[in-house]
Amino acid sequence: KQEVTQIPAALSVPEGENLVLNCSFTDSAIYNLQWFRQDPGKGLTSLLLIQSSQREQTSGRLNASLDKSSGRSTLYIAASQPGDSATYLCGASNTGKLIFGQGTTLQVKP
Amino acid sequence: NAGVMQNPRHLVRRRGQEARLRCSPMKGHSHVYWYRQLPEEGLKFMVYLQKENIIDESGMPKERFSAEFPKEGPSILRIQQVVRGDSAAYFCASSSEDRGYNEQFFGPGTRLTVL
C-alpha cells in the first residue's frame, strides 16, 4: 500500500531564500509524481509532473526531482517570494489515482 | 480552454438529506477522479471513472456514497442520508490519455456542510 510523507509540515522563510520541500513514498512502482500548490479555501494547482522515467522537471523558479530507488522527490523553489506562500502537496500515482502527502505549509515573509 | 468545473461551490444540507456534487472535466478529458479533504486531514482518493465506467472505487465508503460519469453530462458524486462526518471539501480532477500519462487537473471543489 502506497504511503506518502512530506516534511517539514510547515516552513517559514524570509523573502529571497532558496528552499527545498521533501516528499517520500513507500512503493517505488509509481507511474508519475505530481506537485501541487493549494491556497486557503481553493483547489489544487498543478505545478510539475515527473514521469517515472524522468529524473527532474523545471518550470520557472521551480525544479522537481524524482529518485525512485530511494522513494524520494524534492521541490526546489528559488528566490522565494511572498506570493509563494501556500500549502504544497505531492501526489504519487500508480494505477491512476493519486496518493497524497499531508502537505507542507510555506510562509514567505516580506 | 475552461478548466475543471464543479458546482455548487458551497452546499449546506441537514442530516439525512441527499447531496449531489457535479463535476465537468476539462474539454477533451475522459477520466474523472473524486477526492475528499476532511478538516485537518489530507486529501484522500475516493473514486476513478471513465465515461460510463467505474475504474477504481477503492476509496469510496461502502454505504451512502455513489458516483457516475454518464456518456453525456457531468460526473455526479451522490451522498445519501448525509451525516455530520461528511462535512468536507470534495474535489474533482480530470485527465486525458494524451501522451500516455495522466497529469490531473483539479477543480475548485465543493465545500459540503452538514448541519
Side-chain angles (χ1 to χ4, degrees), chain B:
Chain B
N1 185 9
V4 177
M5 299 176 67
Q6 290 188 249
N7 66 80
R9 296 289 305 276
H10 299 274
L11 183 62
V12 179
R13 286 287 179 266
R14 296 191 181 278
R15 282 178 297 169
Q17 292 184 320
E18 179 180 286
R20 282 191 175 226
L21 287 62
R22 296 175 185 77
C23 169
S24 296
M26 287 179 68
K27 185 177 180 181
H29 285 191
S30 58
H31 301 246
V32 165
Y33 313 80
W34 286 93
Y35 297 86
R36 178 165 68 172
Q37 191 170 42
L38 291 163
E40 307 305 322
E41 291 190 22
L43 205 56
K44 305 292 186 187
F45 166 78
M46 298 182 75
V47 63
Y48 167 22
L49 310 105
Q50 292 181 26
K51 287 283 187 181
E52 299 184 285
N53 285 305
I54 296 175
I55 306 302
D56 181 353
E57 57 181 347
S58 59
M60 287 281 270
K62 296 288 185 243
E63 298 177 347
R64 303 187 296 108
F65 285 73
S66 62
E68 63 176 4
F69 189 17
K71 187 176 180 181
E72 301 290 338
S75 175
I76 306 287
L77 179 68
R78 182 182 178 203
I79 311 172
Q80 295 179 292
Q81 298 176 334
V82 297
V83 300
R84 289 218 173 106
D86 297 332
S87 295
Y90 292 82
F91 291 98
C92 167
S94 73
S95 71
S96 72
E97 289 189 294
D98 188 30
R99 290 173 284 178
Y101 63 84
N102 61 335
E103 182 175 7
Q104 294 187 25
F105 296 89
F106 279 70
T110 293
R111 279 145 186 87
L112 173 65
T113 300
V114 179
L115 301 178

Side-chain angles (χ1 to χ4, degrees), chain A residues 17-30:
Chain A
E17 193 162 299
N18 302 326
L19 58 100
V20 175
L21 307 181
N22 297 290
C23 172
S24 61
F25 46 93
T26 55
D27 185 352
S28 63
I30 61 171

